[in-house]
């Protein structure tokens, strides 16, 4: 699965061409230390506009679609670990119903309220 395929699946499921290469980030499950999950690297400026995330689990055959509305996360630099103006986020796949950033230096921000849909493939 790649970003273009995930965007196509999500747009078909939503029945609208909402997602595109410019407004969507894609991540698949990777190993991090003793865990597996999804990395999101979000430039701080992106929090000022609506951005979509497609996080894919090949094993579960599911794509989770998250949307962060413009300015809905105030002061993102205080909520996430930031490096060079980019928020580093790691969401553990061990409990996919609990979409929480688990990185040290962050505030354990929960992305559950940003979950739009789950697309099966």
């Amino acid at each position: 699965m790649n970003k273009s395929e995930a965007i196509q699946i999500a747009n078909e499921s939503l029945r609208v061409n909402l997602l595109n290469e410019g407004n969507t980030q894609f991540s698949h499950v990777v190993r991090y230390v003793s865990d597996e999950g999804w990395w999101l690297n979000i430039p701080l400026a992106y929090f000022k506009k609506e951005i979509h995330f497609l996080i894919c689990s090949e094993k579960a055959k599911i794509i989770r679609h998250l949307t962060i509305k413009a300015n809905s996360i105030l002061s993102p630099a205080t909520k996430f670990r930031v490096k060079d103006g980019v928020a580093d986020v790691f969401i553990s796949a061990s409990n996919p119903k609990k979409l929480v950033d688990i990185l040290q230096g962050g505030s354990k921000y929960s992305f559950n309220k940003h979950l739009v849909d789950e697309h099966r493939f």
Side-chain angles (χ1 to χ4, degrees), residues 74-114:
L74 302 176
S75 304
T78 64
K79 301 224 180 350
F80 305 105
R81 182 178 77 172
V82 176
K83 182 178 172 186
D84 299 326
V86 176
D88 283 332
V89 174
F90 184 78
I91 299 171
S92 176
S94 63
N95 186 352
K97 296 294 181 195
K98 186 178 175 185
L99 300 169
V100 175
D101 174 27
I102 63 168
L103 287 180
Q104 293 292 332
S107 65
K108 307 294 185 216
Y109 187 84
S110 173
F111 286 86
N112 281 326
K113 64 184 161 212
H114 302 291

Side-chain angles (χ1 to χ4, degrees), residues 9-22:
I9 289 168
N11 280 337
E12 286 175 2
S13 180
L14 294 168
R15 294 188 174 103
V16 64
N17 284 326
L18 176 65
L19 309 180
N20 58 56
E21 290 286 331

Side-chain angles (χ1 to χ4, degrees), residues 5-120:
E5 292 168 333
I7 287 173
Q8 181 179 354
I9 289 168
N11 280 337
E12 286 175 2
S13 180
L14 294 168
R15 294 188 174 103
V16 64
N17 284 326
L18 176 65
L19 309 180
N20 58 56
E21 290 286 331
N23 70 2
T24 306
Q25 287 192 14
F26 173 78
S27 181
H28 53 82
V29 175
V30 296
R31 178 153 292 290
Y32 174 65
V33 190
S34 62
D35 201 354
E36 289 185 330
W38 301 277
W39 277 106
L40 304 178
N41 301 109
I42 313 163
L44 293 178
Y46 282 26
F47 288 99
K48 294 180 181 176
K49 59 183 181 178
E50 183 172 282
I51 186 164
H52 302 271
F53 300 93
L54 296 176
I55 57 176
C56 176
S57 172
E58 295 274 349
K59 190 187 318 182
K61 300 287 188 208
I62 194 165
I63 300 167
R64 288 181 178 79
H65 176 188
L66 309 170
T67 298
I68 298 176
K69 301 285 185 191
N71 300 310
S72 66
I73 299 177
L74 302 176
S75 304
T78 64
K79 301 224 180 350
F80 305 105
R81 182 178 77 172
V82 176
K83 182 178 172 186
D84 299 326
V86 176
D88 283 332
V89 174
F90 184 78
I91 299 171
S92 176
S94 63
N95 186 352
K97 296 294 181 195
K98 186 178 175 185
L99 300 169
V100 175
D101 174 27
I102 63 168
L103 287 180
Q104 293 292 332
S107 65
K108 307 294 185 216
Y109 187 84
S110 173
F111 286 86
N112 281 326
K113 64 184 161 212
H114 302 291
L115 182 64
V116 173
D117 208 344
E118 294 181 343
H119 311 287
R120 303 237 174 239

